Amino acid sequence: MRRRRRAAALRPARLSPADIVRLGGTGLRTRPLRVFLSALGIAIGVAAMVAVVGISSSSRAEVDRRLDRLGTNMLRVAPGQTPDGGTTRLPEEAVPMIGRIGPVQQVAATGTVNGAAVYRNEHVPVGRTSSVEVAAAGSHLLPAIGGKVRTGRWLESATEEYPAVVLGAQAARRLDVYTPGTRLWLGGKWFSLVGVLEPMPLAPEVDSSALVGWQAAETYLGFDGHPSTVYVRARDDQVAAVRDVLAATANPEKPSGVLVSRPSDALAAREATESALTGLLLGLGGVALLVGGVGVGNTMVISVLERRPEIGLRRALGATSGQIRGQFVSESLLLSALGGLGGTVLGTAITAGYAYVRGWPTEVPAWAAAAGIAVTLLIGAVAGLYPAVRAGRLAPTQALAGS
């Protein structure tokens, strides 16, 4: 009976998971500065990864939003090159011929006005055009390219026959002219500014142009009437079919000299390029996270060395090696979780701030935050395993003797 009672008295107490977590938290609270610096290393790595994924996702959401707003059913027709290296010309009848294609919903064109330049006034030296081209445009151009007027108005029947001009967003920025009614020296004549356009991602060439009415360009600037770019809107389910016949329709005599493109493909290609860059940045964030894990491991090793008396006392009071290991593993996991949560919040805040400045929708995938925390826990478990095993192997007498 005495032996049984003695064996029962020496039986180690069982620690519940809550007790182990409580012990781990107690160990962290005794060294707040070291815990903060170690968690900061983890947080920086997680924040970098979450921010990279979040900014990439926000950018992709912005591209998708633009495509939804502008549409992916726009095709662009432009002159190609001749075999001798010259440039072909689209016939004057290209626009009405394209408009006869059944699935085509809208068609409009611009024409480059050769020899014409635009200046803020007549005193600006010749050649300082700020890289702004002069182009003729019809009244149906704006709805065809999905453009909007920022200030003023678009060319109408009352203005397209007269010396009036509309500036693209970049053209207005380069000339530093935004107020409707301002006079501009264009082609050796005074033109009145009637409007400034919003940026147009699907038609960047319009952004950097000064647009005058088609008839006004022929009357005042000697425009030859040949379109240089034709914009076509087709039914969504017939875009590929229309694209196949556009070249032959626009220029039946020389279809090989016609270039047909889909502007929305350029935005999709840019998104693919940004996705490749995201992979590289994620790798850099992973390196930062690995460095943070090394910091956690170093912190736990030092903690074991400093707390040898505590380990020896607990072992002398009956704590098992498994309980000691559990305590230090829980400390490492708590430390990593603290850094992971802080990094997720920081990365989300960085994404939200960057998206707000750029005018993008904020989008942080839930899997990115979950993956960041899961990876930190895995790193914490690995980083704390060796110190925990080392602590569990310390005999009570050896640990107390080291004090």
Side-chain angles (χ1 to χ4, degrees):
M1 291 295 294
R2 291 182 179 179
R3 291 181 179 179
R4 292 180 182 179
R5 290 178 181 177
R6 188 176 301 171
L10 296 177
R11 184 179 301 167
R14 293 182 179 180
L15 294 179
S16 65
D19 295 329
I20 295 176
V21 172
R22 192 178 302 110
L23 282 173
T26 302
L28 295 181
R29 287 194 298 269
T30 57
R31 296 163 180 82
L33 181 59
R34 184 183 300 169
V35 168
F36 171 77
L37 294 177
S38 299
L40 182 62
I42 290 284
I44 290 175
V46 174
M49 297 180 68
V50 172
V52 167
V53 174
I55 291 174
S56 176
S57 299
S58 299
S59 175
R60 193 176 301 112
E62 173 64 14
V63 171
D64 294 339
R65 187 175 70 172
R66 287 185 180 183
L67 291 178
D68 290 340
R69 184 177 70 249
L70 301 174
T72 58
N73 63 336
M74 190 176 85
L75 297 170
R76 180 179 180 271
V77 181
Q81 288 187 340
T82 60
D84 58 356
T87 304
T88 61
R89 289 204 307 174
L90 296 176
E92 297 182 30
E93 301 80 10
V95 172
M97 288 191 298
I98 293 174
R100 295 190 186 101
I101 302 175
V104 170
Q105 298 174 328
Q106 293 175 321
V107 57
T110 60
T112 301
V113 181
N114 296 317
V118 58
Y119 304 93
R120 294 187 61 178
N121 54 62
E122 73 274 26
H123 303 296
V124 177
V126 176
R128 295 187 179 180
T129 61
S130 301
S131 300
V132 177
E133 295 184 353
V134 179
S139 58
H140 301 294
L141 175 65
L142 209 59
I145 61 177
K148 294 183 179 180
V149 178
R150 175 182 295 176
T151 57
R153 63 183 187 275
W154 177 241
L155 298 170
E156 303 167 350
S157 57
T159 55
E160 63 180 354
E161 300 180 3
Y162 299 97
V165 60
V166 174
L167 294 178
Q170 289 188 13
R173 191 180 307 113
R174 293 171 183 173
L175 294 172
D176 195 24
V177 176
Y178 303 95
T179 306
T182 304
R183 294 200 308 167
L184 295 173
W185 187 247
L186 195 155
K189 299 177 178 61
W190 286 109
F191 276 66
S192 178
L193 178 65
V194 296
V196 176
L197 302 179
E198 293 279 0
M200 283 173 286
L202 296 185
E205 61 277 1
V206 175
D207 274 351
S208 58
S209 298
L211 305 168
V212 299
W214 202 273
Q215 297 180 7
E218 295 178 341
T219 303
Y220 299 101
L221 304 175
F223 176 52
D224 59 8
H226 287 270
S228 58
T229 306
V230 181
Y231 302 94
V232 181
R233 289 279 185 179
R235 281 169 36 193
D236 292 335
D237 59 341
Q238 296 292 326
V239 173
V242 172
R243 185 172 187 170
D244 293 338
V245 301
L246 265 182
T249 305
N251 193 350
E253 295 182 359
K254 296 180 180 179
S256 60
V258 178
L259 298 178
V260 180
S261 60
R262 193 175 184 178
S264 59
D265 291 345
L267 291 178
R270 188 182 70 180
E271 180 178 337
T273 302
E274 291 178 350
S275 297
L277 181 61
T278 298
L280 175 61
L281 295 178
L282 276 176
L284 295 177
V287 172
L289 188 57
L290 181 61
V291 172
V294 172
V296 171
N298 183 56
T299 298
M300 297 308 301
V301 169
I302 296 176
S303 179
V304 170
L305 294 176
E306 290 180 346
R307 296 163 64 184
R308 288 166 64 96
E310 174 192 338
I311 296 170
L313 181 59
R314 290 199 59 212
R315 291 299 308 277
L317 293 176
T320 64
S321 298
Q323 292 173 348
I324 298 296
R325 288 195 298 268
Q327 174 186 350
F328 282 92
V329 169
S330 68
E331 285 189 26
S332 180
L333 289 174
L334 288 174
L335 181 57
S336 299
L338 182 63
L341 291 173
T344 301
V345 173
L346 180 59
T348 303
I350 293 174
T351 301
Y354 187 83
Y356 176 78
V357 172
R358 298 295 298 271
W360 295 349
T362 301
E363 184 171 318
V364 179
W367 66 263
I373 296 176
V375 170
T376 56
L377 292 177
L378 178 61
I379 290 177
V382 173
L385 186 60
Y386 170 72
V389 171
R390 183 174 179 178
R393 289 179 177 176
L394 287 177
T397 54
Q398 180 184 1
L400 292 172
S403 62

